Amino acid sequence: MARHNYPESVDFHAVGVSSDSDLNPFRIVQRQVDEAAEVLKLDPAIHELLRWPLREFHASLPVRMDDGTTRVYQGFRVQYNDARGPSKGGIRFHPDETIDDVRALAAWMTWKCALVDIPLGGGKGGIICDPRTMSQGELERLSRAYIRQIGHNIGLDRDVPAPDVNTNAQIMAWMVDEFAFMHGYNEFGVITGKPLALGGSLGREDATGRGLMLTVREAAKKLNVDLKGARMIVQGFGNVGSWAAILLQELGCKLVGVADVSGAWSNPDGIDALALQAHVKEKGVIQGFASAGKPVDKEAVLELPCEILVPAALHNQIRKDNVARIKPRILAEGANGPTTPDADPVLYQNGVYVIPDFLCNAGGVTVSYFEMVQNAYNFYWDLPTVHDRLEQKMAAAFDSVHEMAQTYKVHNRLAAYLVAIHRVAEAMRLRGWA
Ligand code: GLU
């Protein structure tokens, strides 16, 4: 009998080393860095450093389960690059989590923070687990076990975690509490996305969706797209997708298609995003929502005619094999890595205006940064202040990408890479790293 109970698929030393390099997100990141390095004529050592995480932690996490047995989970924290400031990025709980996913996501956080010009580097964490099958008590013990393992390697000036896929404010609260026990004092700024009662920021919950809405608004201005009556399709109706849909609906857009793990639906008359969010909060999935319209194929929903398409689920949704059929006017990438590199040139040729992920979904980390600032001063802002400052950051980042794309005549993702990598490389050069 095995001494331990790692999930069968996990080889502790080779977790996430996927054989399909075309769809491995970390290989995708390296390809994207290579492309940007060539245009920017980066110093070879800086280029090589940007292709790899600076450091990463792998931890075994023993958790007492409700039935009295102990289960050992695997967790990771990757500090990809902290040249511009402490690493920053969420922690994901997912059964298919791999170290390469976490590396890729940590790299994207590095570019994201540079693009919105906040003084932070990039990091990401992940635990291989299936939160849907775990009780609240088990989730709490897992969250605390994670902090016990990596708690000495994070901190206000080192690395600041936050929520991501399948993690939320309650999980952040347990983590910040465990950190306080370990160190003997409260340090609220060590984790963001906390509940308001524990040093959270107003406006953090809908920040990623709001940032997405702001970038769509800017894109619509540039392209002369009228948002009143514009059809939108949203894939994934969690925090990002649901808030993006609600806020775009406030600008006049009509939600004509939705999808999540439970299925896909289309309704030309429009689906009320606010009512759907309330349904998903209660039931966990879209299925069962009366006015979602008629069921459609999950893959085909991305191909339905619309002005705005918002992939807000997981990565690799728009690929070589389906990209020719995906033709919105604006593709607003709420998820991290929804489009593979092979699909980018096709979208560009087809005139799809792509708002790349690390621009489009940067609103969350921007308000996380505001949360850190408020924690540092122990002085809290009102909601209009958060919204104003978020708007300024998102609009400036959008303009820098749009201008770069025009100047170099490249697609928006490469333009975003050029802006972000130039900024990170400059910090590395000034520090004397190469
Ligand atoms: N998980 C979010 C992201 O991917 C937010 C990260 C943060 O607030 O640090 O951008």
Side-chain angles (χ1 to χ4, degrees):
M1 207 182 92
R3 269 186 302 112
H4 49 63
N5 53 358
Y6 299 143
E8 261 165 31
S9 57
V10 177
D11 168 352
F12 186 65
H13 298 288
V15 180
V17 182
S18 159
S19 51
D20 185 349
S21 62
D22 276 355
L23 292 182
N24 175 318
F26 184 51
R27 300 286 166 233
I28 289 175
V29 163
Q30 292 189 319
R31 276 175 68 183
Q32 289 168 332
V33 171
D34 294 346
E35 209 182 333
E38 201 180 310
V39 181
L40 291 169
K41 300 191 179 25
L42 277 192
D43 173 280
I46 298 265
H47 176 189
E48 190 60 15
L49 274 170
L50 288 169
R51 300 181 85 242
W52 297 100
L54 281 177
R55 66 191 82 82
E56 57 189 40
F57 305 95
H58 296 227
S60 296
L61 312 170
V63 176
R64 184 67 45 86
M65 307 305 280
D66 290 349
D67 65 5
T69 60
T70 297
R71 180 159 179 186
V72 182
Y73 291 89
Q74 297 300 321
F76 316 109
R77 183 75 191 168
V78 174
Q79 295 170 353
Y80 198 86
N81 188 297
D82 53 13
R84 285 174 47 90
S87 303
K88 185 84 192 80
I91 299 170
R92 301 169 13 127
F93 285 2
H94 203 279
D96 303 326
E97 193 62 283
T98 69
I99 184 63
D100 273 353
D101 283 1
V102 182
R103 287 173 179 149
L105 290 157
W108 286 323
M109 285 308 303
T110 310
W111 325 142
K112 197 181 297 189
C113 293
L115 194 59
V116 282
D117 204 8
I118 55 181
L120 297 168
K124 203 76 160 201
I127 300 179
I128 306 171
C129 67
D130 187 354
R132 284 170 311 176
T133 63
M134 298 172 71
S135 70
Q136 284 295 100
E138 289 167 347
L139 281 174
E140 174 175 356
R141 293 190 289 279
L142 178 64
S143 306
R144 291 183 184 277
Y146 182 76
I147 292 300
R148 280 200 298 278
Q149 281 290 11
I150 64 146
H152 289 290
N153 295 303
I154 61 171
L156 217 48
D157 300 313
R158 286 184 176 178
D159 182 5
V160 179
D164 201 277
V165 172
N166 289 330
T167 53
N168 55 28
Q170 175 60 73
I171 289 175
M172 298 306 113
W174 291 324
M175 289 184 172
V176 90
D177 182 67
E178 193 65 29
F179 189 91
F181 270 112
M182 283 172 74
H183 292 83
Y185 52 85
N186 272 328
E187 185 78 273
F188 284 156
V190 70
I191 287 176
T192 60
K194 302 179 295 292
L196 282 180
L198 286 181
S201 175
L202 288 170
R204 178 65 184 83
E205 199 204 322
D206 70 4
T208 310
R210 182 171 298 275
L212 185 150
M213 173 274 286
L214 292 166
T215 58
V216 169
R217 199 187 66 187
E218 294 305 304
K221 271 191 232 159
K222 298 273 189 233
L223 304 170
N224 278 323
V225 170
D226 187 0
L227 290 179
K228 293 239 171 348
R231 294 162 300 175
M232 66 174 158
I233 293 174
V234 178
Q235 182 201 40
F237 222 74
N239 177 286
V240 180
S242 65
W243 280 113
I246 290 167
L247 295 167
L248 283 167
Q249 189 173 277
E250 282 176 13
L251 297 184
C253 299
K254 188 158 79 166
L255 183 61
V256 296
V258 284
D260 73 358
V261 281
S262 69
W265 291 265
S266 108
N267 184 349
D269 298 332
I271 302 163
D272 180 11
L274 203 56
L276 181 55
Q277 187 194 54
H279 169 89
V280 172
K281 276 192 177 159
E282 199 194 319
K283 308 278 187 220
V285 287
I286 298 174
Q287 197 168 41
F289 184 66
S291 45
K294 68 170 193 320
V296 289
D297 181 74
K298 258 200 209 178
E299 284 269 314
V301 74
L302 300 175
E303 301 166 15
L304 295 175
C306 67
E307 280 67 51
I308 301 157
L309 176 61
V310 181
L314 295 173
H315 51 259
N316 295 345
Q317 301 302 303
I318 301 167
R319 302 167 306 265
K320 198 164 52 178
D321 57 290
N322 64 356
V323 63
R325 299 187 296 276
I326 298 178
K327 292 182 175 167
R329 187 69 192 92
I330 298 172
L331 175 64
E333 297 183 339
N336 290 309
T339 305
T340 64
D342 298 327
D344 270 321
V346 182
L347 291 168
Y348 191 51
Q349 275 156 26
N350 288 346
V352 176
Y353 191 90
V354 177
I355 308 174
D357 50 2
F358 64 88
L359 166 63
C360 193
N361 68 29
V365 75
T366 302
V367 176
S368 272
Y369 164 63
F370 296 162
E371 184 175 330
M372 287 172 70
V373 173
Q374 294 169 76
N375 293 153
Y377 282 87
N378 206 7
F379 178 78
Y380 290 82
W381 308 350
D382 58 14
L383 195 56
T385 304
V386 173
H387 286 173
D388 280 358
R389 290 182 172 159
L390 175 63
E391 193 166 338
Q392 282 171 33
K393 281 287 183 202
M394 295 306 300
F398 179 91
D399 284 345
S400 63
V401 172
H402 186 80
E403 271 165 36
M404 184 66 92
Q406 306 286 307
T407 312
Y408 282 82
K409 306 217 176 332
V410 292
H411 60 74
N412 283 346
R413 188 177 327 277
L414 180 54
Y417 262 89
L418 297 178
V419 175
I421 289 206
H422 174 74
R423 289 180 184 166
V424 179
E426 175 72 354
M428 291 164 74
R429 195 185 57 75
L430 288 167
R431 279 170 173 261
W433 287 3

Coordinates of all heavy atoms in Angstrom, one line a residue, residues 206-271:
D206 N -15.6 43.7 -7.5 CA -15.9 43.8 -9.0 C -14.8 44.4 -9.8 O -15.0 44.8 -11.0 CB -17.2 44.6 -9.2 CG -17.1 46.1 -8.9 OD1 -16.0 46.6 -8.6 OD2 -18.1 46.8 -8.9
A207 N -13.6 44.6 -9.2 CA -12.5 45.4 -9.8 C -12.1 44.8 -11.2 O -11.8 45.5 -12.1 CB -11.3 45.5 -8.9
T208 N -12.0 43.4 -11.3 CA -11.5 42.9 -12.5 C -12.5 43.1 -13.6 O -12.2 43.5 -14.7 CB -11.2 41.4 -12.3 OG1 -10.3 41.2 -11.2 CG2 -10.4 40.8 -13.5
G209 N -13.8 42.9 -13.3 CA -14.9 43.1 -14.3 C -15.0 44.6 -14.6 O -15.2 44.9 -15.8
R210 N -14.8 45.4 -13.7 CA -14.8 46.9 -13.9 C -13.7 47.3 -14.9 O -13.9 48.1 -15.8 CB -14.8 47.7 -12.6 CG -14.9 49.2 -12.8 CD -15.1 49.8 -11.4 NE -16.3 49.4 -10.8 CZ -17.5 50.0 -11.0 NH1 -17.6 51.0 -11.8 NH2 -18.6 49.5 -10.4
G211 N -12.5 46.8 -14.6 CA -11.3 47.1 -15.4 C -11.6 46.6 -16.9 O -11.3 47.3 -17.8
L212 N -12.2 45.4 -17.0 CA -12.5 44.9 -18.3 C -13.5 45.8 -19.0 O -13.3 46.2 -20.2 CB -13.1 43.5 -18.2 CG -13.4 42.7 -19.4 CD1 -13.3 41.2 -19.1 CD2 -14.8 43.0 -20.0
M213 N -14.6 46.2 -18.3 CA -15.5 47.2 -18.9 C -14.9 48.5 -19.3 O -15.1 49.0 -20.4 CB -16.6 47.4 -17.8 CG -17.6 48.5 -18.2 SD -17.1 50.2 -17.8 CE -17.3 50.3 -16.1
L214 N -13.9 49.0 -18.5 CA -13.3 50.2 -18.9 C -12.5 50.1 -20.2 O -12.4 51.0 -21.0 CB -12.4 50.7 -17.7 CG -13.1 51.2 -16.5 CD1 -12.2 51.3 -15.3 CD2 -13.9 52.5 -16.7
T215 N -11.8 48.9 -20.3 CA -11.0 48.7 -21.6 C -11.9 48.5 -22.8 O -11.6 49.0 -23.9 CB -10.0 47.5 -21.4 OG1 -10.8 46.3 -21.2 CG2 -9.0 47.7 -20.4
V216 N -13.0 47.9 -22.6 CA -14.0 47.7 -23.7 C -14.5 49.1 -24.1 O -14.6 49.5 -25.3 CB -15.2 46.8 -23.3 CG1 -16.3 46.8 -24.4 CG2 -14.7 45.4 -23.2
R217 N -14.8 49.9 -23.1 CA -15.3 51.3 -23.4 C -14.3 52.1 -24.2 O -14.6 52.8 -25.2 CB -15.6 52.0 -22.1 CG -16.5 53.2 -22.2 CD -16.6 53.9 -20.9 NE -15.3 54.5 -20.5 CZ -15.1 55.1 -19.4 NH1 -16.0 55.2 -18.4 NH2 -13.9 55.7 -19.1
E218 N -13.0 52.0 -23.8 CA -11.9 52.7 -24.5 C -11.8 52.1 -26.0 O -11.7 52.9 -26.9 CB -10.6 52.5 -23.8 CG -10.5 53.2 -22.5 CD -10.8 54.7 -22.5 OE1 -10.2 55.4 -23.3 OE2 -11.8 55.1 -21.8
A219 N -11.9 50.8 -26.1 CA -11.8 50.2 -27.4 C -12.9 50.7 -28.3 O -12.7 51.0 -29.5 CB -11.7 48.7 -27.3
A220 N -14.1 50.7 -27.7 CA -15.3 51.1 -28.5 C -15.2 52.5 -29.0 O -15.6 52.8 -30.2 CB -16.6 50.9 -27.6
K221 N -14.6 53.4 -28.2 CA -14.4 54.8 -28.6 C -13.4 54.8 -29.8 O -13.7 55.5 -30.8 CB -13.7 55.6 -27.5 CG -14.7 56.2 -26.5 CD -13.9 57.2 -25.6 CE -14.2 56.9 -24.1 NZ -13.2 57.4 -23.2
K222 N -12.3 54.1 -29.7 CA -11.3 54.1 -30.8 C -11.9 53.5 -32.1 O -11.6 53.9 -33.2 CB -10.1 53.2 -30.5 CG -9.3 53.7 -29.3 CD -8.3 54.7 -29.7 CE -7.4 55.0 -28.5 NZ -7.2 56.4 -28.1
L223 N -12.8 52.5 -32.0 CA -13.3 51.8 -33.1 C -14.7 52.3 -33.6 O -15.3 51.8 -34.6 CB -13.5 50.3 -32.8 CG -12.3 49.5 -32.3 CD1 -12.6 48.1 -31.8 CD2 -11.2 49.4 -33.4
N224 N -15.2 53.3 -32.9 CA -16.5 53.9 -33.2 C -17.6 52.8 -33.1 O -18.5 52.7 -34.0 CB -16.6 54.5 -34.6 CG -16.0 55.9 -34.6 OD1 -16.3 56.6 -33.6 ND2 -15.3 56.3 -35.6
V225 N -17.5 51.9 -32.1 CA -18.5 50.9 -31.9 C -19.5 51.5 -30.9 O -19.1 52.0 -29.8 CB -17.9 49.6 -31.3 CG1 -19.0 48.6 -30.9 CG2 -17.1 48.9 -32.4
D226 N -20.8 51.5 -31.2 CA -21.8 52.0 -30.3 C -22.2 50.9 -29.3 O -22.6 49.8 -29.7 CB -23.1 52.4 -31.1 CG -24.1 53.1 -30.2 OD1 -23.8 53.2 -29.0 OD2 -25.2 53.4 -30.8
L227 N -21.9 51.1 -28.1 CA -22.2 50.0 -27.1 C -23.7 49.9 -26.8 O -24.1 48.8 -26.2 CB -21.4 50.3 -25.8 CG -19.9 50.1 -25.9 CD1 -19.1 50.4 -24.6 CD2 -19.5 48.7 -26.4
K228 N -24.4 50.9 -27.1 CA -25.9 50.7 -26.9 C -26.4 49.7 -27.8 O -26.4 49.8 -29.1 CB -26.6 52.1 -27.2 CG -26.3 53.2 -26.2 CD -27.5 53.7 -25.5 CE -27.2 54.6 -24.3 NZ -25.8 54.7 -23.8
G229 N -26.9 48.6 -27.3 CA -27.5 47.5 -28.1 C -26.4 46.5 -28.6 O -26.7 45.6 -29.3
A230 N -25.1 46.8 -28.3 CA -24.1 45.9 -28.8 C -24.3 44.5 -28.1 O -24.5 44.4 -26.9 CB -22.7 46.4 -28.4
R231 N -24.1 43.4 -29.0 CA -24.4 42.1 -28.4 C -23.1 41.6 -27.8 O -22.0 41.7 -28.4 CB -24.8 41.1 -29.6 CG -26.1 41.5 -30.2 CD -26.2 40.8 -31.6 NE -25.2 41.3 -32.5 CZ -25.0 40.8 -33.7 NH1 -25.7 39.8 -34.2 NH2 -24.0 41.2 -34.5
M232 N -23.2 41.0 -26.6 CA -22.0 40.4 -26.0 C -22.3 38.9 -25.6 O -23.4 38.6 -25.3 CB -21.6 41.2 -24.8 CG -22.5 41.2 -23.6 SD -21.8 42.1 -22.2 CE -23.3 42.5 -21.3
I233 N -21.2 38.2 -25.6 CA -21.2 36.8 -25.2 C -20.1 36.6 -24.1 O -19.0 37.1 -24.3 CB -21.0 35.9 -26.4 CG1 -22.1 36.0 -27.4 CG2 -20.8 34.4 -26.0 CD1 -22.0 35.3 -28.7
V234 N -20.5 35.9 -23.1 CA -19.6 35.8 -21.9 C -19.4 34.3 -21.6 O -20.4 33.6 -21.4 CB -20.1 36.6 -20.7 CG1 -19.2 36.4 -19.5 CG2 -20.2 38.0 -21.0
Q235 N -18.2 33.9 -21.7 CA -17.9 32.5 -21.3 C -17.2 32.4 -19.9 O -16.2 33.0 -19.7 CB -16.9 31.9 -22.3 CG -16.5 30.4 -22.1 CD -15.2 30.0 -22.7 OE1 -14.2 30.8 -22.7 NE2 -15.2 28.8 -23.3
G236 N -17.9 31.8 -19.0 CA -17.5 31.8 -17.6 C -18.3 32.8 -16.9 O -18.2 34.0 -17.2
F237 N -19.0 32.5 -15.8 CA -19.8 33.4 -15.1 C -19.5 33.5 -13.6 O -20.3 33.6 -12.8 CB -21.3 33.2 -15.4 CG -22.1 34.4 -15.6 CD1 -22.0 35.1 -16.8 CD2 -22.9 35.0 -14.6 CE1 -22.7 36.3 -17.0 CE2 -23.6 36.1 -14.8 CZ -23.5 36.8 -16.0
G238 N -18.2 33.4 -13.4 CA -17.7 33.6 -12.0 C -17.6 35.1 -11.7 O -18.2 35.9 -12.3
N239 N -16.6 35.4 -10.8 CA -16.5 36.8 -10.4 C -16.2 37.7 -11.6 O -16.9 38.7 -11.8 CB -15.3 36.9 -9.4 CG -15.0 38.3 -9.0 OD1 -14.5 39.1 -9.8 ND2 -15.5 38.7 -7.8
V240 N -15.3 37.4 -12.5 CA -14.9 38.2 -13.6 C -16.0 38.4 -14.6 O -16.4 39.5 -15.0 CB -13.5 37.8 -14.2 CG1 -13.1 38.7 -15.4 CG2 -12.4 37.6 -13.2
G241 N -16.4 37.2 -15.1 CA -17.4 37.2 -16.2 C -18.7 37.9 -15.8 O -19.3 38.7 -16.5
S242 N -19.2 37.6 -14.6 CA -20.5 38.2 -14.1 C -20.4 39.7 -14.0 O -21.3 40.4 -14.4 CB -21.0 37.5 -12.9 OG -20.2 37.7 -11.8
W243 N -19.3 40.1 -13.3 CA -19.2 41.6 -13.1 C -19.0 42.3 -14.4 O -19.6 43.4 -14.7 CB -18.2 42.0 -12.1 CG -18.7 41.8 -10.7 CD1 -18.2 40.9 -9.8 CD2 -19.7 42.5 -10.1 NE1 -18.9 41.0 -8.6 CE2 -19.9 42.0 -8.8 CE3 -20.6 43.6 -10.5 CZ2 -20.8 42.5 -7.8 CZ3 -21.5 44.1 -9.6 CH2 -21.6 43.5 -8.3
A244 N -18.2 41.7 -15.3 CA -18.0 42.3 -16.6 C -19.4 42.5 -17.4 O -19.7 43.5 -17.9 CB -17.0 41.5 -17.5
A245 N -20.2 41.4 -17.3 CA -21.5 41.4 -18.0 C -22.4 42.5 -17.4 O -23.0 43.3 -18.1 CB -22.1 40.1 -17.9
I246 N -22.4 42.6 -16.1 CA -23.3 43.5 -15.4 C -22.9 45.0 -15.8 O -23.7 45.8 -16.1 CB -23.3 43.3 -13.9 CG1 -24.0 42.0 -13.5 CG2 -23.9 44.5 -13.1 CD1 -23.7 41.5 -12.1
L247 N -21.6 45.2 -15.7 CA -21.1 46.6 -15.9 C -21.2 47.0 -17.4 O -21.5 48.2 -17.7 CB -19.7 46.8 -15.4 CG -19.6 46.6 -13.9 CD1 -18.2 46.5 -13.4 CD2 -20.3 47.8 -13.1
L248 N -21.0 46.0 -18.3 CA -21.2 46.4 -19.7 C -22.7 46.5 -20.0 O -23.1 47.4 -20.9 CB -20.6 45.3 -20.6 CG -19.1 45.3 -20.7 CD1 -18.5 44.1 -21.3 CD2 -18.6 46.6 -21.5
Q249 N -23.5 45.8 -19.4 CA -25.0 45.9 -19.5 C -25.4 47.3 -19.1 O -26.3 47.9 -19.7 CB -25.7 44.9 -18.7 CG -27.2 44.7 -18.9 CD -27.7 43.5 -18.1 OE1 -27.7 42.4 -18.6 NE2 -28.3 43.8 -16.9
E250 N -24.8 47.9 -18.1 CA -25.1 49.2 -17.6 C -24.8 50.2 -18.7 O -25.3 51.3 -18.8 CB -24.3 49.6 -16.3 CG -25.0 49.0 -15.1 CD -24.2 49.2 -13.8 OE1 -23.2 50.1 -13.8 OE2 -24.5 48.6 -12.8
L251 N -23.8 49.9 -19.6 CA -23.4 50.8 -20.7 C -24.3 50.6 -21.9 O -24.1 51.2 -23.0 CB -22.0 50.6 -21.1 CG -20.9 50.9 -20.1 CD1 -19.5 50.8 -20.7 CD2 -21.1 52.4 -19.5
G252 N -25.2 49.6 -21.8 CA -26.2 49.4 -22.9 C -26.0 48.1 -23.7 O -26.7 47.8 -24.6
C253 N -24.9 47.3 -23.4 CA -24.7 46.1 -24.1 C -25.8 45.1 -23.7 O -26.3 45.1 -22.6 CB -23.3 45.5 -23.8 SG -22.0 46.6 -24.2
K254 N -26.0 44.1 -24.7 CA -27.0 43.1 -24.4 C -26.3 41.7 -24.4 O -25.6 41.4 -25.3 CB -28.0 43.2 -25.6 CG -29.2 42.3 -25.4 CD -30.4 42.8 -26.2 CE -30.2 42.3 -27.7 NZ -31.4 42.4 -28.5
L255 N -26.6 41.0 -23.3 CA -26.0 39.7 -23.1 C -26.8 38.7 -23.9 O -27.9 38.3 -23.5 CB -26.0 39.4 -21.6 CG -25.3 38.0 -21.2 CD1 -23.8 38.0 -21.6 CD2 -25.5 37.8 -19.7
V256 N -26.2 38.2 -25.0 CA -27.0 37.3 -25.9 C -26.5 35.8 -25.8 O -27.1 34.9 -26.4 CB -27.0 37.7 -27.4 CG1 -27.7 39.1 -27.5 CG2 -25.6 37.8 -27.9
G257 N -25.4 35.6 -25.1 CA -24.9 34.2 -25.0 C -24.1 34.1 -23.7 O -23.3 35.0 -23.3
V258 N -24.2 32.9 -23.0 CA -23.4 32.7 -21.8 C -23.0 31.2 -21.8 O -23.7 30.3 -22.4 CB -24.2 33.0 -20.5 CG1 -24.3 34.5 -20.2 CG2 -25.6 32.3 -20.5
A259 N -21.9 30.9 -21.1 CA -21.5 29.5 -21.0 C -20.7 29.4 -19.7 O -20.1 30.3 -19.2 CB -20.6 29.1 -22.1
D260 N -20.8 28.2 -19.1 CA -19.9 27.8 -18.0 C -19.8 26.3 -18.0 O -20.2 25.6 -18.9 CB -20.4 28.4 -16.6 CG -21.6 27.7 -16.1 OD1 -22.2 26.8 -16.7 OD2 -22.1 28.1 -15.0
V261 N -19.3 25.7 -16.9 CA -19.1 24.3 -16.8 C -20.4 23.5 -17.1 O -20.4 22.4 -17.5 CB -18.4 23.8 -15.5 CG1 -16.9 24.0 -15.5 CG2 -19.1 24.4 -14.3
S262 N -21.5 24.1 -16.7 CA -22.8 23.4 -16.8 C -23.4 23.4 -18.2 O -24.4 22.8 -18.4 CB -23.7 24.0 -15.7 OG -24.2 25.3 -16.1
G263 N -22.9 24.2 -19.1 CA -23.4 24.3 -20.4 C -23.3 25.7 -21.1 O -22.6 26.6 -20.5
A264 N -24.0 25.8 -22.2 CA -24.0 27.1 -22.9 C -25.4 27.4 -23.4 O -26.2 26.5 -23.8 CB -23.0 27.1 -24.1
W265 N -25.8 28.7 -23.5 CA -27.1 29.1 -23.9 C -27.0 30.4 -24.7 O -26.1 31.2 -24.5 CB -28.0 29.4 -22.6 CG -28.3 28.2 -21.8 CD1 -29.4 27.5 -21.9 CD2 -27.5 27.6 -20.8 NE1 -29.4 26.4 -21.0 CE2 -28.2 26.4 -20.4 CE3 -26.2 27.8 -20.3 CZ2 -27.7 25.6 -19.4 CZ3 -25.7 27.0 -19.3 CH2 -26.5 25.9 -18.9
S266 N -28.0 30.6 -25.6 CA -28.1 31.8 -26.3 C -29.5 32.3 -26.3 O -30.5 31.6 -26.4 CB -27.5 31.6 -27.7 OG -28.6 31.7 -28.7
N267 N -29.6 33.7 -26.2 CA -30.9 34.3 -26.1 C -30.8 35.7 -26.8 O -30.3 36.6 -26.2 CB -31.3 34.4 -24.7 CG -32.7 35.0 -24.6 OD1 -33.3 35.5 -25.5 ND2 -33.3 35.0 -23.3
P268 N -31.3 35.8 -28.1 CA -31.2 37.0 -28.8 C -31.9 38.2 -28.1 O -31.6 39.4 -28.4 CB -31.8 36.7 -30.2 CG -32.1 35.3 -30.2 CD -32.0 34.7 -28.8
D269 N -32.9 37.9 -27.3 CA -33.6 39.0 -26.6 C -32.9 39.6 -25.4 O -33.2 40.6 -24.8 CB -35.0 38.4 -26.1 CG -35.9 38.0 -27.2 OD1 -35.7 38.5 -28.3 OD2 -36.7 37.0 -27.0
G270 N -31.7 38.9 -25.0 CA -30.9 39.4 -23.9 C -31.2 38.7 -22.6 O -32.4 38.3 -22.3
I271 N -30.1 38.4 -21.9 CA -30.2 37.7 -20.6 C -29.9 38.8 -19.5 O -28.9 39.5 -19.7 CB -29.2 36.6 -20.6 CG1 -29.4 35.6 -21.7 CG2 -29.2 35.9 -19.2 CD1 -28.2 34.7 -22.0

